[in-house]
Amino acid sequence: MPRTLLTSVAAAAPYATAPIDVTPLVVSDANNNSCQCTGKELILIRNPTGGSLTATVLSAVDPYGRTGDQTVSIPTLKTYAFGPFPVLGWKQTDGLLWINAAAALTILVLTLP
């Protein structure tokens, strides 16, 4: 089954006249998740529940054979930021960035200017 594609929100550009309105999305732990991978994605993951939950951003093999997933246990009511992620070493074979996260976590993907 394909991963659930998360829609990225464009972050406000320098000198923007107003902030952007954002809404985090509840993740899909059954299918896992993905988002675009341009090298400018910043991922905010929040745990709104009572108890630590795990999230992982999966790396891709780079030309030197290296990988390095980013896994973190997110405590109750905390928000963690991941990225931005360069294309080399993070863009998967389908062209996307892969995110595995426990159910109930919320994710916001921002694409930086």
Side-chain angles (χ1 to χ4, degrees):
M1 188 168 240
R3 291 175 171 270
T4 302
L5 183 63
L6 302 173
T7 302
S8 178
V9 175
Y15 310 109
T17 58
I20 57 170
D21 183 22
V22 296
T23 303
L25 305 169
V26 176
V27 304
S28 170
D29 68 328
N31 299 335
N32 292 310
N33 303 273
S34 62
C35 66
Q36 65 182 350
C37 187
T38 66
K40 296 181 180 183
E41 283 67 44
L42 180 67
I43 300 170
L44 303 175
I45 303 178
R46 179 161 178 79
N47 180 357
T49 69
S52 292
L53 296 172
T54 302
T56 303
V57 180
L58 286 85
S59 63
V61 177
D62 72 9
Y64 306 102
R66 297 179 290 207
T67 59
D69 297 347
Q70 288 190 13
T71 299
V72 66
S73 179
I74 303 173
T76 303
L77 302 178
K78 293 290 185 177
T79 302
Y80 282 23
F82 292 81
F85 297 92
V87 172
L88 187 63
W90 295 97
K91 191 174 198 175
Q92 300 293 332
T93 55
D94 62 1
L96 301 171
L97 183 64
W98 290 357
I99 307 160
N100 294 351
L105 289 173
T106 60
I107 297 179
L108 176 63
V109 180
L110 288 172
T111 301
L112 303 174

